[in-house]
């Protein structure tokens, strides 16, 4: 997901071309934290995007250490505020205040209670003017943590172009890569539901622009836009010469993003106001004495919270309503396509622009549901 342009109110984008499992196995070294460094063994791989910043692939145990340092550096932050603080490194300002008005997006700085220099902001951020009562933008200050921690958390993984993704990837022990920005945005939206205009004008709930609905919806808009205009949508970074369902789905809903979305739901299920580092450890690695980490039930948790399944005895029954999901995604598509200016006009005049017909939403949704259901069956070891 690239940092969105609010001229055309856009949200989660995608990562393209991840490291393959085989390439991940071409490890170079392992440090004391258990994090492995990887190299690309095929020089032509990612030829159009270049080699991803090695800083942007963070082992799960190392990530937990980095989050612990952030928590120590901002001791007055609640666990939810830590989620928001790190999330705003990747998705903030331009539209996200309206998406997440209930998150603590700003803070009253108290330099006595944070590590010296944590109030400094980096050149890569646009910090809007704030009144004294509003406080300052809640973000991770470059001097608030060690240089290594700052560099790792702000590293950009490759998506459709070199370093175009605002966040790094988490490398799990099984070789999976999870988009950290997607995970935190999903989690923050679930913790802080309740959006304002323009989202409410289009009947778009908080979670949808923050998670999988946006990934699927954007692919539908991009496909239709290319067909209507004989050229890619301006926000498409991938090299797609002709309209292609698979290409646009892969450009908007890669596995790294979808895993981040699903794991955001998983962390939310276990959210008990413990520090974020504790919740991450419990979900991905398990606690001492626990049978399995929460990640082992990733897809069951995601499907239950998304109301894709219900229990009947010891079995899960698939109940996802395709028609309702298509309408839900199309609401987001309208908002994404018309953009913020149109939404503001709607709010002022009371006249909403008519819904469009998004012909490819059903196709994109079916690809997503097939992926989720297949993973759920593999996880459960039974047909669903």
């Amino acid at each position: 997901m690239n940092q969105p342009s609010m001229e055309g109110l856009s949200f989660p984008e995608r990562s393209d071309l991840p490291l393959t499992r085989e390439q991940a196995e071409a490890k170079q070294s392992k440090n004391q934290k258990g994090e492995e460094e990887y190299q690309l063994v095929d020089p032509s791989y990612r030829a159009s995007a270049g080699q991803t910043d090695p800083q942007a692939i963070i082992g799960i145990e190392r990530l937990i250490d980095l989050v612990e340092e952030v928590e120590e550096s901002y001791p007055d932050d609640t666990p939810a505020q830590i989620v928001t603080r790190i999330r705003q490194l990747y998705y903030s300002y331009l539209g996200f205040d309206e998406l997440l008005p209930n998150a603590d997006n700003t803070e009253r700085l108290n330099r006595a209670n944070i590590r010296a220099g944590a109030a400094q902001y980096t050149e890569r951020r646009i910090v809007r003017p704030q009144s004294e009562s509003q406080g300052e933008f809640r973000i991770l200050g470059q001097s608030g943590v060690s240089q290594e921690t700052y560099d790792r958390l702000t590293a950009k993984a490759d998506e459709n172009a070199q370093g175009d993704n605002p966040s790094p990837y988490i490398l799990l022990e099984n070789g999976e890569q999870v988009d950290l920005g997607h995970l935190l945005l999903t989690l923050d939206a679930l913790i802080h539901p309740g959006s304002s205009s323009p989202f409410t004008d289009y009947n778009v709930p908080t979670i949808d622009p923050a998670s999988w609905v946006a990934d699927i919806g954007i692919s539908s808009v991009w496909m239709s836009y290319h067909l209507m205009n004989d050229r890619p949508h301006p926000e498409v970074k991938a090299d797609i010469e002709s309209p292609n369902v698979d290409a646009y789905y892969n450009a908007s809903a890669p596995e790294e993003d979808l895993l981040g979305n699903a794991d955001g739901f998983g962390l939310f299920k276990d959210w008990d106001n413990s520090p974020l580092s504790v919740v991450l450890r419990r979900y991905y690695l398990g606690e001492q004495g626990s049978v399995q980490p929460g990640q082992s039930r990733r897809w069951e948790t995601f499907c239950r919270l998304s109301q894709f399944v219900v229990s009947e005895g010891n079995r899960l029954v698939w109940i996802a309503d395709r028609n309702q999901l298509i309408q839900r995604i199309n609401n987001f598509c309208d908002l994404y396509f018309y953009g913020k200016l149109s939404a503001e006009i709607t709010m002022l005049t009371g006249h909403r622009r008519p819904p469009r017909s998004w012909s490819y939403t059903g196709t994109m949704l079916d690809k997503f549901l097939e992926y989720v259901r297949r993973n759920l069956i593999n996880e459960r070891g039974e047909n669903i």
Side-chain angles (χ1 to χ4, degrees):
M1 185 193 320
N2 295 326
Q3 184 72 8
S5 164
M6 286 298 128
E7 288 299 319
L9 196 67
S10 95
F11 286 94
E13 205 176 296
R14 78 134 292 184
S15 53
D16 196 32
L17 301 177
L19 288 172
T20 65
R21 183 73 56 85
E22 290 76 18
Q23 288 167 329
E25 290 172 355
K27 59 185 178 182
Q28 292 181 320
S29 63
K30 185 174 183 179
N31 65 17
Q32 69 274 18
K33 296 296 183 182
E35 179 183 4
E36 297 180 344
E37 301 296 337
Y38 300 94
Q39 65 177 356
L40 296 175
V41 296
D42 179 359
S44 67
Y45 189 72
R46 296 182 186 269
S48 63
Q51 180 173 324
T52 195
D53 181 355
Q55 294 268 71
I57 309 296
I58 307 176
I60 180 57
E61 292 197 46
R62 184 72 186 106
L63 175 72
I64 293 170
D65 289 342
L66 300 179
V67 172
E68 286 178 342
E69 183 178 338
V70 174
E71 292 165 341
E72 292 170 359
S73 299
Y74 297 90
D76 285 351
D77 273 14
T78 66
Q81 288 168 339
I82 289 292
V83 171
T84 301
R85 185 180 296 280
I86 302 175
R87 182 266 297 172
Q88 291 199 136
L89 288 173
Y90 319 123
Y91 302 111
S92 56
Y93 193 19
L94 302 174
F96 288 94
D97 284 352
E98 292 81 8
L99 178 66
L100 295 166
N102 296 321
D104 290 329
N105 297 320
T106 59
E107 63 180 329
R108 294 291 300 276
L109 293 181
N110 183 352
R111 290 177 173 79
N113 292 327
I114 58 178
R115 187 175 295 178
Q120 296 180 15
Y121 301 108
T122 65
E123 293 180 359
R124 65 182 288 268
R125 301 303 311 169
I126 300 175
V127 182
R128 64 206 146 131
Q130 297 287 341
S131 70
E132 183 178 352
S133 62
Q134 288 178 304
E136 298 284 350
F137 194 54
R138 183 182 298 279
I139 201 170
L140 182 65
Q142 185 172 13
S143 301
V145 292
S146 68
Q147 188 65 49
E148 179 190 1
T149 293
Y150 182 82
D151 289 345
R152 298 306 297 272
L153 290 178
T154 57
K156 299 181 177 183
D158 286 0
E159 290 198 338
N160 294 311
Q162 185 173 4
D164 68 325
N165 184 39
S167 69
Y169 290 155
I170 309 168
L171 177 65
L172 303 185
E173 293 180 334
N174 62 2
E176 291 175 330
Q177 294 183 125
V178 178
D179 187 286
L180 178 60
H182 275 66
L183 183 151
L184 293 178
L185 182 57
T186 297
L187 178 59
D188 215 359
L190 290 169
I191 294 172
H192 301 108
S195 297
S196 59
S197 180
F199 304 96
T200 51
D201 301 325
Y202 285 82
N203 298 318
V204 173
T206 305
I207 188 57
D208 286 0
S211 195
W212 67 271
V213 166
D215 291 332
I216 304 308
I218 288 174
S219 70
S220 177
V221 173
W222 283 353
M223 180 66 185
S224 294
Y225 184 96
H226 199 150
L227 284 170
M228 289 187 296
N229 298 278
D230 198 29
R231 66 179 186 274
H233 188 280
E235 293 189 358
V236 174
K237 302 296 192 297
D239 185 13
I240 302 177
E241 297 181 356
S242 61
N244 181 281
V245 166
D246 290 336
Y248 276 119
Y249 181 87
N250 292 333
S252 184
E255 188 164 44
E256 295 93 340
D257 291 3
L258 298 182
L259 292 178
N261 298 335
D263 286 350
F265 279 82
L267 265 64
F268 178 70
K269 178 181 180 296
D270 292 336
W271 190 256
D272 59 359
N273 214 35
S274 296
L276 176 60
S277 60
V278 171
V279 179
L280 286 166
R281 182 175 297 278
R282 187 166 58 209
Y283 179 77
Y284 285 114
L285 303 176
E287 294 178 305
Q288 188 173 7
S290 65
V291 179
Q292 291 179 317
Q295 182 203 351
S296 65
R297 301 179 300 280
R298 167 193 283 154
W299 295 109
E300 179 178 347
T301 297
F302 173 75
C303 288
R304 285 184 183 276
L305 294 183
S306 301
Q307 298 182 335
F308 290 173
V309 298
V310 294
S311 295
E312 284 190 5
N314 294 325
R315 293 185 57 82
L316 291 181
V317 178
W318 188 263
I319 62 164
D321 189 320
R322 183 175 182 272
N323 290 334
Q324 286 186 3
L325 292 174
I326 287 175
Q327 182 58 59
R328 178 176 163 188
I329 295 169
N330 283 344
N331 287 344
F332 169 82
C333 290
D334 286 342
L335 173 62
Y336 174 78
F337 181 78
Y338 284 134
K340 185 176 182 180
L341 178 60
S342 174
E344 290 175 344
I345 292 173
T346 299
M347 181 177 63
L348 292 172
T349 65
H351 298 292
R352 172 181 164 178
R353 299 183 74 171
R356 296 182 62 91
S357 175
W358 300 106
S359 303
Y360 289 90
T361 295
T363 301
M364 301 302 187
L365 173 63
D366 289 342
K367 291 173 70 67
F368 171 71
L369 293 179
E370 179 186 4
Y371 168 78
V372 171
R373 190 167 185 171
R374 183 175 66 249
N375 278 288
L376 178 60
I377 290 171
N378 290 339
E379 180 180 281
R380 294 272 299 186
E382 63 183 40
N383 192 31
I384 297 171

